[in-house]
Amino acid sequence: MAKLTVDGTEVEVPNGASVLQACEAAGVEIPRFCYHERLSVAGNCRMCLVEVEKAPKPVASCAYPVADGMVVKTDTAVVRQARRGVMEFLLINHPLDCPICDQGGECDLQDQAYSYGMDHSRFAENKRAVKDKYLGPLVKTFMTRCIHCTRCIRFSSEVAGVAEMGATSRGENMEVGTYIEKALTTELSGNLIDICPVGALLNKPYSFTARPWELRKTDSVDVHDALGSNIRVDARGSEVLRILPRTNEDVNEEWLGDKSRFSHDGLKRRRLDKPWVRQDGKLRPASWPEAFGAIAAKLKDLPGERIGAVAGDLCDAESMVALKDLMASLGSQDLDCRQDGAALDGGRRDFYTFNTTVAGIEDADAILLVGSNPRREAPVLNARIRKRLNHGGYPVAYVGQPADLTYAARHLGDGVAAIEDAAEMLRGAKRPMVIVGQGALRRPDGAAILAAAWALAASVGALTPEWHGFNVLHTAAARVGALDLGFLPGLGGKALPAMLGGGVDLLWLLGADEFDIAAIGANTFVVYQGHHGDRGAARADVILPGAAYTEKGGTYVNTEGRVQRGYVAVQPPGEAREDWAILRAFSAVLGKPLPYDSIQEVRDRLAAVNPVFKTLQELPHRGCTDQAGPSGDPAGVDREPLLPAVVNYYQTNAINRASATMAECTRTYVTPMLQAAE
């Protein structure tokens, strides 16, 4: 540790830290444009200049290492004049179009010009102009505003792993962009907007829509993948206008996937805003009493074994526990949350969670991916793997279809038999990890693959009291919460495949659209409760309009088992209501009211069903003290190739499919890829 003095305050920081980091430890704010704590140091904006005793001139604090006994001064006349000079140079060519710039009100250049710059400029020459670059359907460019901080270049190559951004020419002629004009091929491109300190890179779908001070900001949790990224929902009136990441070091750091950031326009398209009842083969609008009456009439004298329920991928825990309780009151054990047929063992929590934790990836020293492409299934988690790989000494291997994961990874083959080839690599590690994806578990031999992966983890020392290296990477935000609640077939109950083809007479779909709807029996009465007119609603006999994730307070459990909560950002459209409230109201119509009348009482019920719901955002340290594996037979693994769980990253649920922005991304990125594969 090094001791130094910053503006008269003594601080102690690790050896190798920069002067800028020491100043922050002392509580002193240092202006900067090029420096970002998650990127490599460039040292090219010079805004962070400070005085160091005995140094001949001001130094760039972001690139200057600390030394024991150093004395740093951050607010002297020399420092102030140096920063004013840097700001004056930056503004020589900046267009100063703040009144029409989308970055206005949240612009680092704007803020620092007021805080550290001069109140006048000595330059009256013509400003330069730079041609805007095409970066795809999500990121809009206004490159005349670029100040050459190179954050975007470093992010694309270091974090996203797609080295497509760069700089051409030098000095005043320098231009930032792609070398060959093309759409950025990364699922993390929206983060370029966040890290750009000026209005050079902007949110294309959001352009000229609103000012930041007009927006109502609400904390929430992303549901478009199973990572549970922390987000902020910005809304005006009844409309969600943009979604931004919130910093959570244990989950998503400060990044967010493009699907999670840009698909919010799907929240206002193809919405269900009133109940519907099918009459004479056609759906017609109905009142809530009519819809409830139609369902109650069908349930009359119907035995419990002829009633089934399926929970979808976007459901909150409150709605799932209410539906489970409703089914129990009807005598039904036919429940399932595994729309894709994944063979998930609900007997023990570490059989279906990401036990190493997302942050624990940085402590691992070897990794094997089985039937998982995290770049498409959870791009922010994939960036965490890449971050660990950049530190070296981290072999990565995968079993499945060949894929570009954005980092060097050894392809062992496309069949599960190839996992034995990774055993030697994993045995040489102190903290090995095995990640099993849904592409492996949704096969007929999924239970055998789960058991084989567990056995491999046990054999290579990945399961110890200090380290739990067995992980399941989910693709559905609701899946772990549903498994925690036991939303699975009960004693003698049917799984989803057995409910189809006439296995039940009434099937209740809670936002369930991601299975073969056509396989539902022709005489099965279908109740669809959800927020979009998607596949399930098209087959329904009664439609109950629910609330989307931005329109209700909901509890979600991410792939690592972390319990998180989102809050109401906007109200549901029309007559739509929160899902648990719909189920509570219907239970009263049946004369079997559920035992809760408020959201807090529902959450008390969650905690009663499973104590994990008592604690938000915290995960205990996980080791493995019981190496007994899942119920499958490892010898029953099929030699068929593993297929990817996600082919089109941009359209995986009803909200994505309703989004015009995601449709444009599909045309830009996915369609050409599929055509090339043919």
Side-chain angles (χ1 to χ4, degrees):
M1 301 288 284
K3 289 184 179 179
L4 65 159
T5 303
V6 178
D7 291 343
T9 302
E10 190 175 272
V11 294
E12 190 172 2
V13 295
N15 293 322
S18 67
V19 172
L20 188 150
Q21 291 170 321
C23 292
E24 288 185 336
V28 178
E29 181 181 356
I30 302 295
R32 82 291 297 269
F33 291 114
C34 68
Y35 176 79
H36 192 283
E37 55 269 19
R38 302 190 198 278
L39 303 176
S40 62
V41 175
N44 55 8
C45 78
R46 320 310 285 182
M47 193 65 198
C48 64
L49 293 173
V50 298
E51 260 196 292
V52 175
E53 223 172 58
K54 299 181 182 178
K57 58 183 179 180
V59 302
S61 60
C62 69
Y64 203 83
V66 297
D68 206 43
M70 181 182 282
V71 177
V72 179
K73 299 175 182 178
T74 69
D75 194 26
T76 65
V78 172
V79 170
R80 287 195 294 271
Q81 188 58 37
R83 290 173 180 170
R84 288 170 182 166
V86 169
M87 184 62 69
E88 189 175 20
F89 277 117
L90 284 176
L91 296 178
I92 289 174
N93 283 314
H94 199 78
L96 302 181
D97 55 353
C98 303
I100 64 165
C101 177
D102 268 325
Q103 196 83 350
E106 48 191 10
C107 174
D108 289 350
L109 182 64
Q110 197 176 57
D111 295 341
Q112 293 186 40
Y114 275 98
S115 299
Y116 303 100
M118 292 197 297
D119 60 358
H120 66 279
S121 174
R122 294 170 290 177
F123 292 89
E125 290 81 1
N126 291 332
K127 295 178 182 288
R128 70 168 187 166
V130 180
K131 178 180 177 292
D132 293 340
K133 309 296 191 297
Y134 172 73
L135 298 182
L138 303 177
V139 181
K140 178 182 179 180
T141 63
F142 199 112
M143 300 313 294
T144 300
R145 300 171 184 155
C146 179
I147 62 171
H148 302 161
C149 71
T150 69
R151 280 187 183 182
C152 57
I153 297 173
R154 285 174 284 145
F155 174 85
S156 63
S157 60
E158 296 169 13
V159 178
V162 180
E164 295 173 342
M165 296 285 288
T168 54
S169 298
R170 300 182 66 185
E172 191 176 68
N173 297 320
M174 176 177 167
E175 294 188 16
V176 172
T178 52
Y179 296 106
I180 299 172
E181 195 158 278
K182 56 175 286 192
L184 291 173
T185 57
T186 172
E187 295 78 14
L188 298 169
S189 64
N191 296 289
L192 295 173
I193 301 162
D194 295 338
I195 64 172
C196 180
V198 296
L201 302 177
L202 298 168
N203 186 325
K204 185 177 283 189
Y206 172 75
S207 291
F208 306 115
T209 300
R211 288 297 194 185
W213 54 83
E214 301 173 352
L215 303 176
R216 184 175 63 255
K217 302 167 179 64
T218 307
D219 290 350
S220 191
V221 178
D222 174 52
V223 300
H224 294 288
D225 60 34
L227 184 63
S229 297
N230 288 205
I231 59 173
R232 191 186 84 194
V233 180
D234 287 359
R236 183 176 61 188
S238 62
E239 185 177 355
V240 174
L241 295 183
R242 69 175 180 179
I243 292 177
L244 300 176
R246 285 187 295 128
T247 300
N248 186 324
E249 298 293 344
D250 294 328
V251 182
N252 59 304
E253 297 183 296
E254 62 184 78
W255 314 128
L256 188 62
D258 288 346
K259 174 174 59 177
S260 306
R261 182 190 296 265
F262 293 106
S263 64
H264 57 82
D265 63 318
L267 292 168
K268 61 183 179 182
R269 294 182 172 88
R270 299 172 61 183
R271 289 302 303 270
L272 300 173
D273 58 359
K274 63 171 69 74
W276 296 74
V277 174
R278 191 175 296 276
Q279 189 173 39
D280 299 327
K282 293 184 179 180
L283 287 168
R284 64 167 181 84
S287 65
W288 280 103
E290 285 181 299
F292 285 165
I295 304 170
K298 183 65 179 179
L299 284 172
K300 189 176 181 181
D301 300 326
L302 199 62
E305 61 269 17
R306 301 301 299 171
I307 305 168
V310 183
D313 293 349
L314 307 181
C315 297
D316 56 294
E318 288 86 350
S319 63
M320 290 189 288
V321 76
L323 182 56
K324 183 183 179 187
D325 288 346
L326 177 64
M327 291 295 116
S329 71
L330 295 171
S332 174
Q333 297 289 329
D334 300 343
L335 307 172
D336 211 344
C337 63
R338 303 162 299 180
Q339 292 186 86
D340 54 7
L344 293 161
D345 192 322
R348 250 172 59 189
R349 203 170 191 237
D350 57 346
F351 290 163
Y352 60 81
T353 53
F354 201 95
N355 300 292
T356 302
T357 73
V358 176
I361 291 172
E362 298 185 34
D363 297 324
D365 52 3
I367 183 170
L368 172 67
L369 302 167
V370 180
S372 175
N373 181 344
R375 179 177 178 179
R376 289 197 184 128
E377 296 165 20
V380 176
L381 182 143
N382 194 59
R384 184 85 74 152
I385 296 175
R386 176 177 170 78
K387 176 184 177 182
R388 173 61 184 86
L389 194 68
N390 288 341
H391 294 159
Y394 190 57
V396 178
Y398 70 100
V399 176
Q401 297 298 309
D404 177 9
L405 299 175
T406 72
Y407 42 80
R410 179 184 167 199
H411 184 217
L412 300 177
D414 59 7
V416 182
I419 65 174
E420 292 299 329
D421 298 336
E424 185 176 347
M425 175 195 80
L426 295 174
R427 283 194 187 96
K430 294 180 180 178
R431 293 179 297 278
M433 282 178 63
V434 177
I435 298 179
V436 184
Q438 302 305 297
L441 299 181
R442 62 178 52 175
R443 294 165 26 132
D445 61 340
I449 295 176
L450 186 70
W454 179 278
L456 175 67
S459 68
V460 299
L463 305 178
T464 69
E466 294 77 33
W467 177 256
H468 203 317
F470 179 82
N471 305 282
V472 175
L473 179 58
H474 292 273
T475 56
R479 189 67 55 82
V480 175
L483 293 169
D484 284 341
L485 292 171
F487 205 98
L488 295 168
L491 186 63
K494 305 181 188 71
L496 176 58
M499 296 186 220
L500 303 177
V504 293
D505 294 328
L506 185 145
L507 184 61
W508 196 298
L509 303 180
L510 182 61
D513 299 286
E514 311 305 324
F515 67 97
D516 184 9
I517 301 293
I520 298 175
N523 296 322
T524 301
F525 189 90
V526 177
V527 178
Y528 182 81
Q529 180 180 345
H531 41 74
H532 275 76
D534 205 71
R535 301 162 181 165
R539 171 61 182 82
D541 295 285
V542 174
I543 296 175
L544 306 177
Y549 74 105
T550 55
E551 300 157 3
K552 59 186 174 182
T555 303
Y556 303 90
V557 187
N558 76 346
T559 191
E560 58 182 352
R562 185 185 304 272
V563 181
Q564 303 184 107
R565 188 165 292 159
Y567 299 92
V568 179
V570 294
Q571 293 301 312
E575 298 179 47
R577 297 292 181 267
E578 293 189 6
D579 292 297
W580 77 266
I582 294 172
L583 293 159
R584 170 63 180 83
F586 177 67
S587 69
V589 171
L590 290 180
K592 301 176 180 180
L594 297 175
Y596 27 78
D597 297 314
S598 68
I599 187 68
Q600 186 54 52
E601 290 178 351
V602 181
R603 288 170 179 164
D604 292 341
R605 171 63 178 155
L606 286 175
V609 173
N610 193 326
V612 300
F613 289 97
K614 291 181 179 179
T615 307
L616 296 178
Q617 283 291 357
E618 293 184 12
L619 280 179
H621 169 73
R622 285 185 187 163
C624 182
T625 55
D626 182 0
Q627 294 192 8
S631 57
D633 179 9
V637 171
D638 199 323
R639 293 188 173 273
E640 290 296 313
L642 291 169
L643 300 177
V646 176
V647 176
N648 181 358
Y649 164 74
Y650 299 99
Q651 292 184 327
T652 56
N653 58 54
I655 299 174
N656 302 154
R657 288 189 287 270
S659 166
T661 304
M662 293 298 99
E664 180 61 28
C665 288
T666 298
R667 286 190 291 270
T668 303
Y669 299 110
V670 181
T671 303
M673 177 188 70
L674 296 177
Q675 290 174 344
E678 292 175 358

